[in-house]
Amino acid sequence: MNTPFADLLDTNYTPSDDDIPRIRAIVDANTRAASSIDKEITRLLSSLVQRRDAHLESANRHASLLSPVRRIPDDILSAIFHAYLDTKAPAPMSRSHPAVVVSHVSQRWRQLAISTPYLWNGIHLHLPQYPSWQPSGFSSPRISVERAEEAADRWGATVQHMLAIAEVWVARSGQYPVDVTLGALLETQPQDDIAFPPKIKMCLTSLCDFAHRWKRARIDLSFGRQQSNIADILEPLTSLQPHHVPQLESLHLNVFHIGDDTTLRPTVITTPILQGAAIRTLHLYRVWQDWRILPVIWSALTELRFATIDTLSAFASLGFGGLGSPLAQFTPLQAFTLLKQCPNLVTCDLTISPDNWRPLDRLASMTGVAFLPKLQSLTIRGRIPNTEFVQALSLPSLHSLQLTRPISGILSEPGPAAFTFGAPAPPSNNTGEALAWVRQFGHQLHTVKLNVTRISCDVLQSLLEHLSSASDLSLKFLGHRQPQSGRGSFENNGLTRLLAVPSRSNDLRTGANHEPAPICPRLCRLRLDMNGQPGSITEEGVIDMIASRRGPKETRAIGDSARLEDVTIHFGTLQTMDVRQELERRGVDMAKLDFEASYPSPEPLKPHRPYTPTNDLL
């Protein structure tokens, strides 16, 4: 650039007073020129960026035409939709439903999703709880009648909206078999059911209109004692005949009604559809009738969950003691009789009545054998049937057993109690019944779930010794009451020592190797819930037990038996050490070991209150 000061630049020249204005003018002129160039560069860059973005957008839009998804045929894409839906739990009919989600991806996906009936085969009406104008507690204010009516109107509008969505689902499902659900709960408060009965009947009517397409149906309804028109409400369901549900394979029925204390009995429906020819899965809860009058084809069932209720005991628990006489109870004898009529069961879940057998059942005895060759999983709730019941069963395929009633009692006096309360043993003693089950079937059981309260160590060992094939063991420890000295005073019950694999010992005198047989040698999955018996096991004991079953191959005493792979423990005491870190420190093989431990939350410390003379007066 031409400048009169070219020879003076980058020197020690000091400008004169006349040169200073000339130099400043040159500086300003060059600054303005640079700023103008900057603006031009920005304009050019912006133009270039826009051109580049346009090319990239065009490239991406054209590349999307080459996406492999576009070339997937509709039948395969529809199968992908099916698989995606099957991975999800049954979802409510809403915008978050998987079928709605895939239908909003693109126009093609929407057309395909809407024309795929399988995606819309779940008609699930989980109604919100009906609002109550009664106070929820002693300190809760009473809701005004106006607000209660507004809440009831909103509830009715919500149900109407759900029914409208259900109509869309039904239309899109075409003639595909559907799964239906109706769940509704009404509290036992008077004057709360202004809109409840007609809406429930409307929902039942809507569902029953396409009963010929039902594949799985679940009805969960609870009515209060102020409702006397139960039969009219349930009429759409009770009027269905077996030929109306030709595709119904699974039925879950739970209709609970607390009758009026002077005129009504608690009732449950005996709908003719119980006799549906295709029904293979049947779940019945809160059944008050004698099960023998139910129109069920028992011999066709492959899955059964069944519970009857003693009227008097149920009413007493609800505060309605002294009503009427007890109806049929589900006694062990009745359970045995039922099992004899269900030879094709694969899964069975029965609730046995309490210990108070009916006089006729005490005099009767079990005759014959209940042979269930296909039964694989059995759950016994309530009373554990005795040895006579067990020996009358022939279950060659049984591999899963769950006894939900806590096992308690002392079988023999010697030795310390496995669960110490500082009080005599509870009067209930069902260890004999529990042992009868594991002695009869323990050698073939793979999955075992037991609840335990207080038993002696020898009984605990006897129970586990009979589970020679168990690979999945769950034990939940319950307590009758907290000990006097606090949560941490329960004694170690020796469970981890029983489950630990004994170390190999060498008899130096004879030179023989002794390998004590481990308890549950095939154990791979262990679940322990010690919340009811805090302190009954220690973290050190758990570490020793896991180490004995997870150590290096050359040092593991369990030899070629199964390795423990999945452990979940709910400790009853606070955490004092890192179990996983300690296992790693000991060099235990941690590969493919899923370990999870949980602990109770620590109780907050009470603020210290310093002593003052006035405290004695408070």
Side-chain angles (χ1 to χ4, degrees):
M1 296 181 183
N2 296 326
T3 172
F5 299 96
D7 296 337
L8 302 178
L9 297 176
D10 302 322
T11 66
N12 293 328
Y13 170 73
T14 301
S16 63
D17 292 341
D18 294 337
D19 291 339
I20 290 176
R22 297 169 57 198
I23 294 174
R24 286 177 175 171
I26 295 173
V27 170
D28 291 341
N30 282 279
T31 301
R32 289 193 298 271
S35 178
S36 176
I37 294 174
D38 286 340
K39 292 179 181 180
E40 183 67 16
I41 292 174
T42 301
R43 185 184 65 78
L44 292 174
L45 283 177
S46 176
S47 176
L48 292 174
V49 168
Q50 290 179 1
R51 291 170 57 191
R52 181 203 62 185
D53 291 345
H55 286 295
L56 288 177
E57 180 183 3
S58 178
N60 292 334
R61 294 175 65 184
H62 283 78
S64 65
L65 298 176
L66 303 177
S67 174
V69 176
R70 292 177 178 267
R71 299 195 300 273
I72 296 178
D74 286 351
D75 55 343
I76 297 179
L77 188 58
S78 179
I80 294 175
F81 291 168
H82 287 194
Y84 172 64
L85 187 64
D86 290 341
T87 61
K88 305 293 183 180
M93 297 177 295
S94 65
R95 292 182 180 273
S96 60
H97 191 279
V100 178
V101 172
V102 299
S103 68
H104 287 178
V105 173
S106 66
Q107 184 176 0
R108 179 199 174 201
W109 281 33
R110 179 171 180 81
Q111 294 175 350
L112 181 60
I114 292 177
S115 60
T116 305
Y118 176 81
L119 301 181
W120 314 94
N121 74 330
I123 318 298
H124 303 298
L125 296 175
H126 298 282
L127 307 188
Q129 182 170 332
Y130 191 81
S132 173
W133 59 273
Q134 294 283 4
S136 58
F138 291 107
S139 60
S140 302
R142 186 182 180 89
I143 302 175
S144 66
V145 176
E146 292 77 10
R147 290 185 58 189
E149 291 177 350
E150 292 177 359
D153 291 341
R154 289 194 298 271
W155 180 88
T158 300
V159 174
Q160 201 66 40
H161 178 66
M162 295 176 67
L163 286 174
I165 297 177
E167 291 181 1
V168 176
W169 249 251
V170 172
R172 291 181 178 179
S173 62
Q175 295 301 315
Y176 201 87
V178 295
D179 300 339
V180 298
T181 300
L182 176 59
L185 171 66
L186 180 64
E187 294 181 347
T188 59
Q189 299 290 349
Q191 302 178 8
D192 284 349
D193 62 341
I194 300 173
F196 190 80
K199 291 298 182 184
I200 297 300
K201 186 173 183 179
M202 185 182 301
C203 291
L204 283 173
T205 302
S206 177
L207 295 178
C208 292
D209 285 342
F210 52 93
H212 62 283
R213 293 201 286 125
W214 288 2
K215 183 178 181 180
R216 287 181 286 264
R218 182 184 182 99
I219 307 296
D220 280 303
L221 300 176
S222 178
F223 298 99
R225 53 180 169 167
Q226 71 278 11
Q227 292 166 312
S228 59
N229 58 338
I230 303 299
D232 179 65
I233 298 174
L234 300 177
E235 188 273 336
L237 183 62
T238 56
S239 62
L240 291 177
Q241 297 300 317
H243 65 272
H244 291 148
V245 287
Q247 302 185 69
L248 183 60
E249 299 177 359
S250 174
L251 177 61
H252 171 115
L253 192 58
N254 178 20
V255 180
F256 187 48
H257 174 217
I258 301 177
D260 184 82
D261 57 358
T262 58
T263 59
L264 293 180
R265 287 282 189 177
T267 58
V268 68
I269 58 175
T270 54
T271 172
I273 64 172
L274 288 172
Q275 203 174 3
I279 293 180
R280 297 295 178 266
T281 299
L282 182 62
H283 292 185
L284 297 176
Y285 304 99
R286 294 170 173 172
V287 177
W288 301 84
Q289 292 93 330
D290 187 337
W291 64 275
R292 288 165 291 193
I293 70 173
L294 298 177
V296 177
I297 306 177
W298 302 105
S299 60
L301 298 180
T302 59
E303 180 177 340
L304 174 65
R305 183 169 184 179
F306 193 16
T308 58
I309 300 179
D310 175 16
T311 305
L312 287 181
S313 61
F315 266 68
S317 66
L318 295 170
F320 299 98
L323 295 178
S325 59
L327 300 178
Q329 301 178 35
F330 207 66
T331 65
L333 180 57
Q334 292 177 343
F336 175 73
T337 306
L338 172 62
L339 289 176
K340 291 176 67 176
Q341 299 187 33
C342 304
N344 291 308
L345 284 181
V346 176
T347 302
C348 184
D349 188 329
L350 293 180
T351 300
I352 309 299
S353 65
D355 294 336
N356 54 333
W357 283 34
R358 297 166 61 195
L360 293 178
D361 288 334
R362 293 195 187 98
L363 298 176
S365 61
M366 299 176 187
T367 58
V369 175
F371 179 52
L372 290 85
K374 302 177 182 178
L375 187 65
Q376 300 178 10
S377 176
L378 177 62
T379 298
I380 299 293
R381 305 181 189 274
R383 175 181 180 169
I384 301 177
N386 59 13
T387 304
E388 179 187 5
F389 183 96
V390 176
Q391 293 178 347
L393 297 179
S394 178
L395 313 175
S397 300
L398 184 68
H399 62 69
S400 177
L401 176 66
Q402 179 178 4
L403 303 178
T404 65
R405 183 162 187 175
I407 302 172
S408 62
I410 305 299
L411 185 66
S412 59
E413 293 299 332
F419 310 102
T420 302
F421 294 91
S428 172
N429 188 335
N430 58 3
T431 54
E433 289 84 352
L435 283 170
W437 281 88
V438 297
R439 285 169 180 164
Q440 183 80 4
F441 303 109
H443 66 283
Q444 64 189 66
L445 295 177
H446 300 162
T447 302
V448 181
K449 297 181 180 180
L450 302 175
N451 292 337
V452 182
T453 53
R454 176 180 177 174
I455 57 177
S456 59
C457 289
D458 56 349
V459 176
L460 180 63
Q461 183 172 354
S462 297
L463 286 170
L464 298 179
E465 283 179 341
H466 286 89
L467 304 178
S468 58
S469 299
S471 59
D472 188 340
L473 177 63
S474 297
L475 299 176
K476 184 174 184 179
F477 295 82
L478 308 173
H480 291 287
R481 56 183 177 274
Q482 294 298 337
Q484 296 292 333
S485 56
R487 287 183 58 85
S489 64
F490 289 87
E491 294 182 2
N492 190 325
N493 59 28
L495 174 63
T496 52
R497 291 194 299 273
L498 290 176
L499 292 177
V501 177
S503 59
R504 296 177 178 178
S505 61
N506 186 22
D507 194 329
L508 298 179
R509 292 175 300 176
T510 62
N513 291 327
H514 298 281
E515 296 185 24
I519 290 179
C520 302
R522 299 184 181 181
L523 188 62
C524 295
R525 187 173 185 264
L526 178 63
R527 298 287 182 269
L528 299 178
D529 187 345
M530 313 302 300
N531 285 331
Q533 296 290 336
S536 295
I537 64 172
T538 63
E539 291 167 310
E540 292 84 354
V542 170
I543 292 172
D544 293 338
M545 182 267 295
I546 296 178
S548 70
R549 292 179 176 265
R550 291 288 306 182
K553 179 71 173 180
E554 60 274 9
T555 62
R556 277 177 44 232
I558 199 170
D560 295 329
S561 299
R563 303 184 73 185
L564 198 60
E565 298 178 353
D566 191 349
V567 181
T568 299
I569 301 180
H570 301 283
F571 287 93
T573 55
L574 298 179
Q575 182 175 6
T576 60
M577 62 192 307
D578 189 327
V579 176
R580 179 175 286 276
Q581 183 177 1
E582 179 62 21
L583 288 171
E584 293 175 349
R585 189 189 68 80
R586 293 192 186 186
V588 176
D589 182 9
M590 303 295 290
K592 297 182 180 180
L593 172 62
D594 293 330
F595 176 79
E596 180 180 349
S598 60
Y599 301 84
S601 301
E603 297 181 1
L605 296 176
K606 296 182 179 180
H608 175 66
R609 187 179 186 184
Y611 172 80
T612 61
T614 58
N615 285 348
D616 293 338
L617 302 178
L618 298 179

